[in-house]
Amino acid sequence: SPSRGLGDVYKRQMYLSGKTDENNGFENFDLIDYSTLDNARPNKNVIHLVHKDSLPKLYKIKKSQIMELMMWGEDDFYNTLVFVTPGDSIHLEVNNGKFEFLGKNAAHYNFYLKADPQRNNYSKLSYKGDLELYKNQVDQVYANSKKIFEEYQIEHNVSREFVNYVSNELKSEYLYNLSNPREKSKPGNPNYNSINGLTETLKKTPAFRIDGVVDLSSYYGDISVEDFKRPDFVNNDYFKRSLISYIRQYFVNHEYLDYNEENLDAELKFVNENFTGEIANFARVKILSDYYNKGFGNDKISQDLLLREIQQIEKTEAREDYKAVVRELKADLAYRLIKLPESVLSEKMISLEGDTLTFGEILDKGNKSNFINIWGRSYTGEQCLPCLEGFEKLSVNEDIDKLDRISISLDHDEDRWEKDVRSFQAYLNPREQFRSVAPPHKSMITTFFKMTLPPKYTKIPRYMIIDNEGLVLYNNLPSTNDSILLKKVLTKINNQKSTLE
């Protein structure tokens, strides 16, 4: 009957109302839905209009989940998590800078306000070179959160479902702060998690660069793949973050966090061997999306691989929102340039002799494909040790001898670049040396290949193969430290080039 239909619709919604004394009211209000792959803000599902001092809204939610509420007042920023269930009616009161939830399940909504009023317990921490100290600090925040949660359960009438979800979210947030250490931010700002993970963070530490040894099993504790075989938590933010982070950084444990074919194969293989159902579907789609956003698919070989993986997902019974993401990737790939755009080809370079040429002119100097070695120094002027280690290994690689070599430095200091080239002349051919005129964070090359995290950090060394007309055959070759994988890829490219042309 119509009445039953309306009741079913209501059960799949969450009603949110509110009152505030903020001068700008609820004009800057957001509720983030972590059940989707891209953490959508569900404002598009709002049925009622937002008034200046009141907040009547209906949100569509299919399952119980933890959502994040944000509100920007005139002088204050409010931020908290809330555990919501389909059919909930939540009332929010904001008075004199105080933030509080009311309603029959108010205890489900107010826990995070009690445990971490400003959502900054972890954001005060930062890794400063001492891994043991950082771990102890993260452990302490987690222990305090668990203690508060235990006391909260005694004091309030909460459901078993609430306890289950919040317990998992607390642990997942803890695990994520271990795998992606916090980095020091500007004064007054929260310290954000490193997007590159623990291993890349450690590589910046002098002590780690010397011996390169860290006991990950001791650092992470008794974490195992079984901890992530929980499809009931696939809608929770930190669970999803931790799942992908631990696949990439612990279970697979890449030597170098490069978004290339070998690393993609390793991650997908791990997922296929260890997960099923919704967890596996989420992980596959998120991994493909991550690699695409990091530049994978910018060449003929990786584009074909990405399309094959997308086609496999389209054949599965994955959620429709997951399939929508891969369909969007597929559509983008159909229009993606394999040949470098004019903006990249026209970037100016300086040769060691002082001549100015465009990148396109350098590529077209020979009649073979080009092996490109992009290197340089850090923004602080430190030498790139992996770049230096690669010079000697590349100089004796017979597979590269079948290609024209081009070496491009991103060092904006011309005198220092010339000095570096002379220092390594035993391994570097002067006629193959060029320097980008543009600073690293403004270079069209680093931008196109997603090598730069503005304004300072550039992922080097980077090895790629581009033919003399600007066709990108491979944009992210394996590290020279993995000679077997590098030889495998170079052999594949040398054998396939005739079919690609």
Side-chain angles (χ1 to χ4, degrees), residues 271-288:
V271 171
N272 293 335
E273 291 177 349
N274 291 278
F275 299 105
T276 59
E278 191 162 354
I279 290 288
N281 290 332
F282 163 76
R284 292 188 196 106
V285 174
K286 186 67 170 75
I287 287 169
L288 293 183

Side-chain angles (χ1 to χ4, degrees), residues 395-454:
S395 67
V396 295
N397 191 303
E398 295 179 356
D399 295 294
I400 299 178
D401 291 337
K402 300 175 184 178
L403 308 166
D404 285 333
R405 296 171 182 255
I406 297 174
S407 182
I408 298 175
S409 172
L410 300 178
D411 191 348
H412 202 50
D413 188 318
E414 185 172 0
D415 292 336
R416 187 171 60 193
W417 165 63
E418 292 178 355
K419 182 179 178 180
D420 282 347
V421 172
R422 287 194 295 271
S423 299
F424 311 122
Q425 59 185 348
Y427 310 117
L428 301 178
N429 184 335
R431 293 192 302 274
E432 300 166 354
Q433 305 306 309
F434 301 90
R435 182 179 65 84
S436 174
V437 173
H441 60 284
K442 293 184 178 180
S443 164
M444 294 306 299
I445 294 175
T446 60
T447 300
F448 180 79
F449 289 110
K450 301 185 186 298
M451 293 174 58
T452 307
L453 298 175

Side-chain angles (χ1 to χ4, degrees), residues 17 49 55 89 122 153 158 169 172 243 259 261 314 343 348-349 451 464:
S17 61
L49 295 175
L55 182 71
S89 293
Y122 283 109
Q153 295 173 58
V158 293
E169 189 77 352
S172 297
L243 170 66
Y259 292 85
E261 180 181 348
E314 288 178 323
S343 59
K348 292 182 179 180
M349 305 279 167
M451 293 174 58
M464 56 186 70

Side-chain angles (χ1 to χ4, degrees), residues 31-89:
L31 192 64
I32 302 177
D33 181 359
Y34 288 111
S35 67
T36 60
L37 190 85
D38 58 353
N39 300 337
R41 289 161 174 78
N43 297 32
K44 59 187 177 183
N45 294 329
V46 174
I47 294 177
H48 295 293
L49 295 175
V50 178
H51 302 288
K52 183 172 179 58
D53 61 350
S54 61
L55 182 71
K57 288 188 176 185
L58 274 173
Y59 291 106
K60 298 176 184 176
I61 59 173
K62 296 180 179 180
K63 296 180 180 179
S64 298
Q65 64 189 80
I66 293 175
M67 303 178 79
E68 183 170 8
L69 186 152
M70 296 182 182
M71 178 178 166
W72 292 261
E74 191 170 60
D75 300 310
D76 296 301
F77 172 66
Y78 307 92
N79 178 215
T80 191
L81 298 180
V82 289
F83 175 73
V84 298
T85 305
D88 273 359
S89 293

Side-chain angles (χ1 to χ4, degrees), residues 150-260:
E150 290 169 0
E151 295 172 350
Y152 192 86
Q153 295 173 58
I154 296 172
E155 297 171 1
H156 298 84
N157 181 25
V158 293
S159 69
R160 184 176 300 175
E161 187 181 35
F162 168 82
V163 173
N164 189 34
Y165 271 73
V166 174
S167 295
N168 175 268
E169 189 77 352
L170 291 176
K171 181 177 181 180
S172 297
E173 185 175 16
Y174 161 72
L175 291 175
Y176 187 73
N177 277 280
L178 285 180
S179 65
N180 293 69
R182 297 269 178 170
E183 297 182 347
K184 193 69 177 176
S185 186
K186 295 179 180 179
N189 292 333
N191 297 330
Y192 293 100
N193 295 97
S194 165
I195 63 173
N196 296 300
L198 176 64
T199 302
E200 295 297 309
T201 300
L202 290 176
K203 286 178 181 178
K204 302 176 186 178
T205 306
F208 180 80
R209 289 203 299 263
I210 293 173
D211 55 39
V213 177
V214 60
D215 184 357
L216 289 180
S217 60
S218 174
Y219 177 75
Y220 287 126
D222 60 355
I223 189 71
S224 74
V225 69
E226 298 300 320
D227 292 296
F228 295 100
K229 293 183 177 180
R230 298 297 304 271
D232 46 329
F233 296 132
V234 77
N235 288 341
N236 285 10
D237 177 32
Y238 276 108
F239 176 80
K240 294 192 293 185
R241 288 201 223 179
S242 296
L243 170 66
I244 299 302
S245 181
Y246 279 78
I247 290 173
R248 187 164 295 153
Q249 301 180 41
Y250 183 54
F251 297 128
V252 175
N253 192 20
H254 307 303
E255 183 178 0
Y256 291 92
L257 189 59
D258 286 333
Y259 292 85
N260 56 30

Side-chain angles (χ1 to χ4, degrees), residues 102-113:
L102 304 172
K104 71 171 185 177
N105 288 328
H108 287 177
Y109 320 136
N110 284 313
F111 166 70
Y112 285 96
L113 288 174

Side-chain angles (χ1 to χ4, degrees), residues 88-151:
D88 273 359
S89 293
I90 304 174
H91 186 72
L92 169 65
E93 293 279 350
V94 183
N95 292 303
N96 298 319
K98 185 180 179 181
F99 198 72
E100 185 180 13
F101 291 104
L102 304 172
K104 71 171 185 177
N105 288 328
H108 287 177
Y109 320 136
N110 284 313
F111 166 70
Y112 285 96
L113 288 174
K114 177 179 176 62
D116 190 0
Q118 305 301 322
R119 297 279 294 128
N120 64 5
N121 286 346
Y122 283 109
S123 68
K124 294 177 181 178
L125 308 181
S126 66
Y127 170 70
K128 300 175 182 177
D130 187 329
L131 192 62
E132 183 177 359
L133 174 61
Y134 177 76
K135 175 177 169 54
N136 288 339
Q137 292 174 334
V138 175
D139 286 349
Q140 186 60 54
V141 171
Y142 182 44
N144 289 341
S145 297
K146 288 196 296 182
K147 181 180 179 181
I148 293 172
F149 187 46
E150 290 169 0
E151 295 172 350

